[in-house]
């Protein structure tokens, strides 16, 4: 993880800062130097012998995630170095296996109490200015894929393919050669904020210009599974919410309800009618979750007389096609058979079952909610009216709770067709 310390050609004055800001007295050049040294110290700390077991576990995890990638032509030494770099970066900025408890949060004292397997922060002492920088890095900065749009002095303007925003990144604070970047080149890496500007957390991976189609297709796949990065852009978030609300009104107008249940043939027909009704937004490249999950649609193998499917539309989370709704409806319908709390407990532990679907069922089948949920949760005093909302909220991670259930890809991705 090599870093080159090049100075900014003219030290910029510090931007106006709130009183008491320990970074406020530093010039931009001084802030960037401090940030670069701090990032280097974090990496060096993770690589200390005391953290060897955590690094080994993270290397094994990153290596397992790379099994599906085409790395046959990659030199084994290069692949090993990439795996180690990725493992260290995750331990510093996103935590073991990417689930929290990063070294940054451990130093700040904001890591979850049950965080395990991370890098031990003992011996890493930071001053007030460094702690202020760590607070800026608490969300991990921005990890993603970019296209270089401009080069000015010692900074590059990068267009993020996931959030459709531009970032001014000082290249002098990374190990990348200045002549390695050119407008139009795609690259990937993590960038960290230093006030209103950014530095690379490590040397980014630069791709060849003719790989742009493959890079874009890969980013579309990432957004389809985790659309959150796109919603860093407030315009994208606002447009996505508007689209989902329009689709919700169209669904209700078309079917007279937010839910359609029936045979495989009936639900598929309703899905196609809804798809025709909403069309496709002309000014955005949008993917509906159900459109990217067509493998879950009823096919010729499904019994056309099997009433096991439901099509549901939420005003914020959008469209979901469910093949388990009928059973879950039966769980919520009296009488309370012994198998029902057991099945509900399994559902509550399954993150793929949206809480809003459970809330809809509770609204439509309120007869024995207290008794059902007491048995399913093992909480004798549970009362749905008092405790239900908190239970459904807490079973889902905070990130993404209010995000629209639609994938919005950036305008740059319009240059290639979506994956078929």
């Amino acid at each position: 993880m090599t870093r080159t310390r090049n100075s900014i050609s003219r030290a910029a004055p510090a931007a106006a800062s709130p009183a008491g800001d320990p970074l406020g007295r530093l010039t931009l050049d001084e802030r960037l130097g401090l940030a670069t040294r701090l990032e280097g110290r974090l990496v060096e700390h993770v690589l200390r012998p005391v953290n060897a077991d955590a690094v080994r576990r993270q290397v094994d995890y990153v290596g397992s995630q790379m099994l599906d990638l085409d790395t046959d032509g990659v030199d084994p030494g290069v692949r090993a170095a990439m795996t180690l770099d990725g493992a260290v970066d995750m331990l510093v900025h996103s935590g073991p296996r990417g689930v929290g408890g990063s070294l940054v949060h451990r130093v700040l004292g904001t890591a979850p109490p049950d965080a395990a397997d991370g890098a031990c922060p003992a011996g890493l002492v930071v001053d007030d200015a460094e702690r202020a920088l760590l607070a800026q890095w608490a969300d991990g900065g921005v990890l993603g894929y970019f296209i270089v749009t401009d080069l000015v002095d010692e900074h590059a303007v990068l267009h993020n393919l996931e959030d459709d925003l531009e970032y001014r990144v000082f290249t002098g604070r990374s190990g990348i050669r200045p002549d390695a970047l050119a407008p139009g080149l795609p690259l990937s890496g993590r960038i960290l904020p230093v006030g209103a500007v950014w530095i690379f957390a490590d040397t980014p991976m630069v791709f060849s210009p003719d790989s742009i189609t493959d890079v874009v297709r890969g980013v579309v796949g990432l957004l389809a599974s985790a659309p959150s990065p796109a919603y860093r852009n407030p315009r994208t978030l606002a447009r996505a919410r508007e689209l989902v609300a329009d689709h919700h009104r169209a669904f209700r107008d078309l079917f007279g309800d937010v839910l359609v249940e029936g045979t495989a043939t009936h639900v598929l027909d309703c899905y196609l009618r809804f798809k025709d009704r909403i069309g496709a937004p002309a000014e955005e490249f949008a993917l509906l979750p159900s459109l990217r999950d067509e493998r879950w649609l009823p096919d010729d193998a499904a019994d056309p007389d099997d009433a096991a499917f439901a099509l549901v539309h939420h005003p914020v989370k959008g469209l979901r096609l469910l093949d388990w709704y009928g059973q879950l409806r039966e769980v919520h319908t009296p009488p309370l058979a012994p198998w029902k709390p057991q099945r509900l407990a399994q559902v509550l532990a399954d993150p793929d079952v949206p809480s809003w679907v459970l809330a809809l069922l509770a609204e439509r089948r309120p007869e024995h909610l207290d008794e059902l949920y007491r048995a399913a949760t093992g909480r004798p005093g549970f009362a749905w009216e008092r405790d239900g909302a908190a239970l459904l909220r807490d079973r889902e991670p905070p990130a993404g709770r209010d995000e629209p259930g639609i994938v919005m890809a950036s305008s740059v991705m319009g240059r290639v067709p979506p994956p078929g």
Side-chain angles (χ1 to χ4, degrees):
M1 290 189 161
T2 306
R3 288 173 174 79
T4 305
R5 295 183 181 178
N6 297 336
S7 62
I8 306 300
S9 53
R10 289 184 300 277
S17 304
D21 178 4
L23 296 172
R25 63 180 179 275
L26 303 180
T27 66
L28 176 59
D29 191 23
E30 291 169 336
R31 292 186 191 186
L32 292 168
L34 179 65
T36 302
R37 292 190 297 272
L38 177 60
E39 169 64 12
R41 288 177 58 206
L42 295 173
V43 171
E44 292 171 0
H45 186 85
V46 166
L47 293 173
R48 292 176 61 189
V50 69
N51 293 315
D53 287 343
V55 172
R56 176 183 51 78
R57 287 189 291 267
Q58 193 69 8
V59 165
D60 291 343
Y61 170 77
V62 173
S64 70
Q65 300 302 298
M66 295 176 67
L67 292 177
D68 295 333
L69 302 179
D70 183 10
T71 58
D72 292 341
V74 179
D75 179 88
V78 173
R79 182 168 60 244
M82 291 172 57
T83 303
L84 177 60
D85 284 354
V88 171
D89 175 82
M90 290 184 72
L91 287 173
V92 172
H93 293 291
S94 59
R97 295 175 300 283
V99 296
S102 68
L103 179 59
V104 170
H105 276 286
R106 290 169 189 265
V107 174
L108 290 172
T110 55
D114 57 348
D117 295 336
C120 174
L124 183 60
V125 180
V126 297
D127 61 26
D128 290 344
E130 290 171 326
R131 183 169 291 276
L133 279 172
L134 290 178
Q136 294 182 22
W137 299 350
D139 63 356
V142 174
L143 175 66
Y145 291 82
F146 307 84
I147 291 180
V148 180
T149 59
D150 197 8
L151 295 169
V152 181
D153 296 331
E154 292 187 54
H155 75 263
V157 179
L158 306 182
H159 186 104
N160 189 305
L161 287 170
E162 294 167 279
D163 62 26
D164 210 12
L165 295 172
E166 289 194 335
Y167 297 85
R168 183 172 177 257
V169 182
F170 279 82
T171 56
R173 305 299 168 172
S174 70
I176 192 168
R177 301 190 321 274
D179 59 354
L181 295 181
L185 279 181
L187 58 87
S188 67
R190 186 187 300 274
I191 60 175
L192 301 171
V194 183
V197 296
W198 300 78
I199 63 169
F200 284 114
D202 188 22
T203 303
M205 180 179 294
V206 181
F207 303 95
S208 62
D210 57 5
S211 67
I212 182 62
T213 298
D214 291 335
V215 171
V216 167
R217 289 188 186 278
V219 172
V220 171
L222 289 174
L223 286 173
S225 61
S228 300
Y231 296 131
R232 285 191 295 259
N233 188 325
R235 296 186 304 276
T236 301
L237 178 60
R239 178 57 180 150
R241 285 177 171 160
E242 180 184 349
L243 280 174
V244 174
D246 289 345
H247 295 169
H248 189 68
R249 286 189 289 270
F251 193 97
R252 292 189 65 117
D253 290 346
L254 191 59
F255 303 117
D257 195 358
V258 299
L259 180 143
V260 175
E261 187 179 7
T263 65
T265 301
H266 175 65
V267 169
L268 178 57
D269 176 67
C270 291
Y271 167 82
L272 295 175
R273 288 168 59 196
F274 174 67
K275 182 179 175 182
D276 289 341
R277 170 67 70 91
I278 65 174
E283 73 277 20
E284 265 96 13
F285 177 30
L287 298 174
L288 285 173
S290 60
L291 302 187
R292 69 175 191 266
D293 285 338
E294 288 191 2
R295 64 188 181 278
W296 298 117
L297 286 172
D299 55 25
D300 293 338
D303 185 345
D305 296 322
D306 182 7
F309 295 92
L311 199 63
V312 193
H313 202 285
H314 186 269
V316 175
K317 304 307 293 183
L319 186 69
R320 286 296 296 264
L321 179 68
L322 310 175
D323 59 2
W324 41 260
Y325 182 84
Q327 185 184 99
L328 200 51
R329 172 177 40 75
E330 187 175 354
V331 166
H332 284 74
T333 303
L336 182 61
W339 66 271
K340 294 182 179 182
Q342 298 173 8
R343 179 68 180 116
L344 180 58
Q346 294 173 345
V347 168
L348 290 172
D350 184 352
D352 290 333
V353 178
S355 285
W356 60 266
V357 175
L358 293 171
L360 179 64
L361 278 160
E363 178 184 333
R364 298 190 172 203
R365 293 287 190 275
E367 294 87 352
H368 63 179
L369 288 177
D370 290 349
E371 187 179 4
L372 173 64
Y373 275 82
R374 284 169 186 167
T377 62
R379 295 164 55 180
F382 184 93
W384 177 263
E385 185 175 352
R386 182 189 65 230
D387 305 318
L391 173 70
L392 297 187
R393 182 189 65 244
D394 293 344
R395 65 178 294 273
E396 294 186 334
R401 281 179 187 161
D402 299 323
E403 288 177 355
I406 190 172
V407 177
M408 300 291 289
S410 84
S411 60
V412 175
M413 295 181 185
R415 69 179 66 197
V416 297

